[in-house]
CSV table of all heavy atoms in Angstrom, one decimal:
chain,number,residue,atom,x,y,z
U,25,GLU,N,0.8,-1.2,0.0
U,25,GLU,CA,0.0,0.0,0.0
U,25,GLU,C,0.9,1.2,0.0
U,25,GLU,O,2.0,1.2,0.4
U,25,GLU,CB,-0.9,0.0,1.2
U,25,GLU,CG,-1.9,-1.2,1.3
U,25,GLU,CD,-2.7,-1.2,2.5
U,25,GLU,OE1,-2.6,-0.3,3.3
U,25,GLU,OE2,-3.6,-2.1,2.6
U,26,GLY,N,0.3,2.3,-0.5
U,26,GLY,CA,1.1,3.6,-0.5
U,26,GLY,C,0.4,4.7,-1.2
U,26,GLY,O,-0.7,4.6,-1.7
U,27,THR,N,1.1,5.8,-1.2
U,27,THR,CA,0.7,7.0,-1.9
U,27,THR,C,1.4,7.2,-3.2
U,27,THR,O,2.7,7.1,-3.2
U,27,THR,CB,0.8,8.3,-1.0
U,27,THR,OG1,0.1,8.0,0.2
U,27,THR,CG2,0.3,9.5,-1.7
U,28,PHE,N,0.8,7.5,-4.3
U,28,PHE,CA,1.4,7.7,-5.6
U,28,PHE,C,2.3,8.9,-5.5
U,28,PHE,O,2.1,9.9,-4.8
U,28,PHE,CB,0.4,7.9,-6.7
U,28,PHE,CG,-0.6,6.8,-6.7
U,28,PHE,CD1,-2.0,7.1,-6.8
U,28,PHE,CD2,-0.2,5.5,-6.7
U,28,PHE,CE1,-2.9,6.1,-6.8
U,28,PHE,CE2,-1.2,4.4,-6.7
U,28,PHE,CZ,-2.5,4.8,-6.8
U,29,ALA,N,3.4,8.9,-6.3
U,29,ALA,CA,4.3,10.0,-6.4
U,29,ALA,C,3.6,11.2,-7.2
U,29,ALA,O,2.9,10.9,-8.1
U,29,ALA,CB,5.6,9.6,-7.1
U,30,PRO,N,3.8,12.4,-6.8
U,30,PRO,CA,3.2,13.5,-7.5
U,30,PRO,C,3.8,13.9,-8.8
U,30,PRO,O,5.0,13.5,-9.0
U,30,PRO,CB,3.3,14.7,-6.5
U,30,PRO,CG,4.6,14.4,-5.7
U,30,PRO,CD,4.6,12.9,-5.6
U,31,PRO,N,3.1,14.5,-9.7
U,31,PRO,CA,3.8,15.0,-10.9
U,31,PRO,C,4.8,16.0,-10.6
U,31,PRO,O,4.9,16.5,-9.5
U,31,PRO,CB,2.6,15.6,-11.7
U,31,PRO,CG,1.4,15.1,-11.1
U,31,PRO,CD,1.7,14.8,-9.6
U,32,GLU,N,5.6,16.3,-11.6
U,32,GLU,CA,6.7,17.3,-11.4
U,32,GLU,C,6.5,18.5,-12.3
U,32,GLU,O,6.0,18.4,-13.4
U,32,GLU,CB,8.1,16.7,-11.6
U,32,GLU,CG,8.4,15.5,-10.7
U,32,GLU,CD,9.7,14.8,-11.0
U,32,GLU,OE1,10.4,15.3,-11.9
U,32,GLU,OE2,10.1,13.9,-10.3
U,33,ASP,N,6.8,19.7,-11.7
U,33,ASP,CA,6.9,20.9,-12.5
U,33,ASP,C,5.7,21.3,-13.3
U,33,ASP,O,5.7,21.3,-14.5
U,33,ASP,CB,8.1,20.8,-13.4
U,33,ASP,CG,8.6,22.2,-13.9
U,33,ASP,OD1,8.2,23.2,-13.3
U,33,ASP,OD2,9.2,22.2,-15.0
U,34,ALA,N,4.6,21.6,-12.6
U,34,ALA,CA,3.4,22.0,-13.3
U,34,ALA,C,3.5,23.4,-13.8
U,34,ALA,O,3.9,24.3,-13.1
U,34,ALA,CB,2.2,21.9,-12.4
U,35,TYR,N,3.2,23.6,-15.1
U,35,TYR,CA,3.4,25.0,-15.7
U,35,TYR,C,2.5,25.2,-16.9
U,35,TYR,O,1.9,24.2,-17.5
U,35,TYR,CB,4.9,25.1,-16.1
U,35,TYR,CG,5.4,24.1,-17.1
U,35,TYR,CD1,5.4,24.3,-18.5
U,35,TYR,CD2,5.8,22.8,-16.7
U,35,TYR,CE1,5.8,23.4,-19.4
U,35,TYR,CE2,6.2,21.9,-17.6
U,35,TYR,CZ,6.2,22.1,-19.0
U,35,TYR,OH,6.6,21.2,-19.9
U,36,TRP,N,2.4,26.4,-17.3
U,36,TRP,CA,1.6,26.8,-18.5
U,36,TRP,C,2.5,26.7,-19.7
U,36,TRP,O,3.6,27.3,-19.7
U,36,TRP,CB,1.0,28.2,-18.4
U,36,TRP,CG,0.0,28.3,-17.3
U,36,TRP,CD1,0.2,28.8,-16.1
U,36,TRP,CD2,-1.4,27.8,-17.3
U,36,TRP,NE1,-1.0,28.7,-15.3
U,36,TRP,CE2,-2.0,28.1,-16.1
U,36,TRP,CE3,-2.2,27.2,-18.3
U,36,TRP,CZ2,-3.3,27.9,-15.8
U,36,TRP,CZ3,-3.5,26.9,-18.0
U,36,TRP,CH2,-4.1,27.3,-16.8
U,37,LYS,N,2.1,26.1,-20.8
U,37,LYS,CA,2.9,26.0,-22.0
U,37,LYS,C,3.1,27.4,-22.6
U,37,LYS,O,2.2,28.2,-22.8
U,37,LYS,CB,2.2,25.1,-23.0
U,37,LYS,CG,3.0,24.9,-24.3
U,37,LYS,CD,2.3,24.0,-25.3
U,37,LYS,CE,3.0,23.8,-26.5
U,37,LYS,NZ,2.3,22.9,-27.5
U,38,ASP,N,4.3,27.7,-23.0
U,38,ASP,CA,4.7,29.0,-23.6
U,38,ASP,C,3.9,29.1,-25.0
U,38,ASP,O,3.7,28.2,-25.7
U,38,ASP,CB,6.2,29.1,-23.9
U,38,ASP,CG,6.9,29.1,-22.6
U,38,ASP,OD1,6.3,29.5,-21.6
U,38,ASP,OD2,8.1,28.8,-22.6
U,39,ASN,N,3.6,30.4,-25.3
U,39,ASN,CA,3.0,30.7,-26.6
U,39,ASN,C,1.7,30.0,-26.8
U,39,ASN,O,1.3,29.7,-28.0
U,39,ASN,CB,3.9,30.5,-27.7
U,39,ASN,CG,5.3,31.2,-27.6
U,39,ASN,OD1,5.3,32.4,-27.2
U,39,ASN,ND2,6.4,30.5,-27.8
U,40,SER,N,1.0,29.6,-25.8
U,40,SER,CA,-0.3,28.9,-25.9
U,40,SER,C,-1.2,29.3,-24.8
U,40,SER,O,-0.9,28.9,-23.6
U,40,SER,CB,-0.1,27.4,-26.0
U,40,SER,OG,-1.3,26.7,-26.1
U,41,ARG,N,-2.3,29.9,-25.0
U,41,ARG,CA,-3.2,30.3,-24.0
U,41,ARG,C,-3.9,29.1,-23.4
U,41,ARG,O,-4.6,28.3,-24.2
U,41,ARG,CB,-4.3,31.3,-24.5
U,41,ARG,CG,-3.7,32.7,-24.8
U,41,ARG,CD,-4.9,33.6,-25.1
U,41,ARG,NE,-4.4,34.9,-25.5
U,41,ARG,CZ,-4.3,35.4,-26.7
U,41,ARG,NH1,-4.6,34.5,-27.7
U,41,ARG,NH2,-3.9,36.6,-27.0
U,42,GLY,N,-3.8,28.8,-22.1
U,42,GLY,CA,-4.6,27.8,-21.5
U,42,GLY,C,-4.2,26.4,-21.5
U,42,GLY,O,-4.9,25.5,-21.1
U,43,THR,N,-3.0,26.1,-22.1
U,43,THR,CA,-2.5,24.7,-22.2
U,43,THR,C,-1.7,24.4,-21.0
U,43,THR,O,-0.6,25.0,-20.8
U,43,THR,CB,-1.8,24.4,-23.5
U,43,THR,OG1,-2.6,24.6,-24.6
U,43,THR,CG2,-1.3,23.0,-23.5
U,44,ALA,N,-2.2,23.6,-20.1
U,44,ALA,CA,-1.4,23.2,-18.9
U,44,ALA,C,-0.5,22.0,-19.2
U,44,ALA,O,-0.9,21.1,-20.0
U,44,ALA,CB,-2.4,22.8,-17.8
U,45,ARG,N,0.7,22.0,-18.6
U,45,ARG,CA,1.6,20.9,-18.8
U,45,ARG,C,2.3,20.5,-17.5
U,45,ARG,O,2.3,21.3,-16.5
U,45,ARG,CB,2.7,21.3,-19.8
U,45,ARG,CG,2.2,21.5,-21.2
U,45,ARG,CD,3.4,21.7,-22.2
U,45,ARG,NE,4.2,20.6,-22.3
U,45,ARG,CZ,4.0,19.6,-23.2
U,45,ARG,NH1,3.0,19.7,-24.0
U,45,ARG,NH2,4.8,18.5,-23.3
U,46,TRP,N,2.7,19.3,-17.4
U,46,TRP,CA,3.4,18.8,-16.2
U,46,TRP,C,4.3,17.6,-16.6
U,46,TRP,O,4.2,17.1,-17.7
U,46,TRP,CB,2.5,18.4,-15.1
U,46,TRP,CG,1.5,17.3,-15.6
U,46,TRP,CD1,1.6,16.0,-15.5
U,46,TRP,CD2,0.2,17.6,-16.2
U,46,TRP,NE1,0.5,15.4,-16.1
U,46,TRP,CE2,-0.4,16.3,-16.5
U,46,TRP,CE3,-0.5,18.8,-16.6
U,46,TRP,CZ2,-1.6,16.2,-17.1
U,46,TRP,CZ3,-1.7,18.6,-17.2
U,46,TRP,CH2,-2.3,17.4,-17.4
U,47,GLU,N,5.2,17.2,-15.7
U,47,GLU,CA,6.1,16.1,-16.0
U,47,GLU,C,5.8,14.9,-15.2
U,47,GLU,O,5.3,15.0,-14.0
U,47,GLU,CB,7.6,16.5,-15.7
U,47,GLU,CG,8.0,17.8,-16.5
U,47,GLU,CD,8.0,17.6,-18.0
U,47,GLU,OE1,8.2,16.5,-18.4
U,47,GLU,OE2,7.8,18.6,-18.7
U,48,GLU,N,6.0,13.7,-15.8
U,48,GLU,CA,5.7,12.5,-15.1
U,48,GLU,C,6.8,12.3,-14.0
U,48,GLU,O,8.0,12.5,-14.2
U,48,GLU,CB,5.7,11.3,-16.0
U,48,GLU,CG,5.4,10.0,-15.4
U,48,GLU,CD,5.4,8.8,-16.5
U,48,GLU,OE1,5.7,9.1,-17.6
U,48,GLU,OE2,5.1,7.7,-16.1
U,49,PRO,N,6.4,11.8,-12.8
U,49,PRO,CA,7.4,11.5,-11.8
U,49,PRO,C,8.4,10.4,-12.2
U,49,PRO,O,8.0,9.5,-13.0
U,49,PRO,CB,6.6,11.1,-10.6
U,49,PRO,CG,5.3,10.6,-11.1
U,49,PRO,CD,5.0,11.5,-12.3
U,50,GLU,N,9.6,10.4,-11.8
U,50,GLU,CA,10.6,9.4,-12.2
U,50,GLU,C,10.2,8.0,-11.7
U,50,GLU,O,10.3,7.1,-12.5
U,50,GLU,CB,12.0,9.8,-11.7
U,50,GLU,CG,12.6,11.0,-12.3
U,50,GLU,CD,14.0,11.3,-11.8
U,50,GLU,OE1,14.5,10.4,-11.1
U,50,GLU,OE2,14.6,12.3,-12.2
U,51,GLU,N,9.7,7.9,-10.5
U,51,GLU,CA,9.2,6.7,-10.0
U,51,GLU,C,8.0,6.9,-9.2
U,51,GLU,O,7.7,7.9,-8.6
U,51,GLU,CB,10.3,6.0,-9.1
U,51,GLU,CG,11.5,5.6,-9.8
U,51,GLU,CD,12.6,5.0,-8.9
U,51,GLU,OE1,12.4,5.1,-7.7
U,51,GLU,OE2,13.6,4.4,-9.4
U,52,GLY,N,7.1,5.8,-9.1
U,52,GLY,CA,6.0,5.9,-8.2
U,52,GLY,C,4.7,6.5,-8.8
U,52,GLY,O,3.7,6.7,-8.1
U,53,GLY,N,4.8,6.9,-10.1
U,53,GLY,CA,3.6,7.5,-10.7
U,53,GLY,C,2.7,6.4,-11.3
U,53,GLY,O,2.9,5.2,-11.2
U,54,THR,N,1.5,6.8,-11.9
U,54,THR,CA,0.5,5.9,-12.4
U,54,THR,C,0.3,6.1,-13.9
U,54,THR,O,-0.3,5.2,-14.5
U,54,THR,CB,-0.8,6.0,-11.6
U,54,THR,OG1,-1.3,7.4,-11.9
U,54,THR,CG2,-0.6,5.8,-10.1
U,55,GLY,N,0.6,7.2,-14.4
U,55,GLY,CA,0.3,7.5,-15.8
U,55,GLY,C,-1.1,8.1,-16.0
U,55,GLY,O,-1.6,8.3,-17.1
U,56,LYS,N,-1.8,8.4,-14.9
U,56,LYS,CA,-3.1,9.0,-15.0
U,56,LYS,C,-3.2,10.2,-14.0
U,56,LYS,O,-2.6,10.1,-12.9
U,56,LYS,CB,-4.2,8.0,-14.7
U,56,LYS,CG,-5.6,8.5,-14.9
U,56,LYS,CD,-6.7,7.4,-14.7
U,56,LYS,CE,-8.1,7.9,-15.0
U,56,LYS,NZ,-9.1,6.8,-14.9
U,57,TYR,N,-3.9,11.2,-14.4
U,57,TYR,CA,-3.9,12.5,-13.6
U,57,TYR,C,-5.3,13.1,-13.5
U,57,TYR,O,-6.1,12.9,-14.4
U,57,TYR,CB,-2.9,13.5,-14.3
U,57,TYR,CG,-1.6,12.9,-14.6
U,57,TYR,CD1,-1.3,12.3,-15.8
U,57,TYR,CD2,-0.6,12.9,-13.6
U,57,TYR,CE1,0.0,11.8,-16.1
U,57,TYR,CE2,0.7,12.4,-13.9
U,57,TYR,CZ,1.0,11.8,-15.1
U,57,TYR,OH,2.2,11.3,-15.4
U,58,GLU,N,-5.4,13.8,-12.4
U,58,GLU,CA,-6.6,14.7,-12.2
U,58,GLU,C,-6.1,16.1,-12.3
U,58,GLU,O,-5.1,16.4,-11.6
U,58,GLU,CB,-7.3,14.4,-10.9
U,58,GLU,CG,-8.5,15.2,-10.7
U,58,GLU,CD,-9.2,15.0,-9.4
U,58,GLU,OE1,-8.6,14.2,-8.5
U,58,GLU,OE2,-10.3,15.5,-9.1
U,59,VAL,N,-6.8,16.9,-13.1
U,59,VAL,CA,-6.4,18.3,-13.2
U,59,VAL,C,-7.6,19.2,-12.9
U,59,VAL,O,-8.7,18.9,-13.3
U,59,VAL,CB,-5.8,18.6,-14.6
U,59,VAL,CG1,-4.4,18.0,-14.8
U,59,VAL,CG2,-6.8,18.2,-15.7
U,60,VAL,N,-7.3,20.3,-12.3
U,60,VAL,CA,-8.3,21.3,-11.9
U,60,VAL,C,-7.9,22.7,-12.3
U,60,VAL,O,-6.8,23.1,-11.9
U,60,VAL,CB,-8.6,21.2,-10.3
U,60,VAL,CG1,-9.6,22.2,-9.9
U,60,VAL,CG2,-9.0,19.8,-9.9
């Protein structure tokens, strides 16, 4: 049992209004995300 690793470096994409981006954690991620 455990807690998933968080994404890394959430940021807005340059030269694009409203496109959110983030990086997958090196270990302990799931490949699925909730964004708000």
Side-chain angles (χ1 to χ4, degrees):
E25 300 180 357
T27 301
F28 308 130
E32 299 179 0
D33 195 21
Y35 58 95
W36 295 100
K37 182 180 178 181
D38 292 338
N39 303 318
S40 176
R41 292 191 182 96
T43 299
R45 294 187 66 90
W46 56 91
E47 304 298 330
E48 182 179 5
E50 291 185 5
E51 294 180 349
T54 64
K56 188 174 183 179
Y57 308 92
E58 181 182 9
V59 288
V60 177

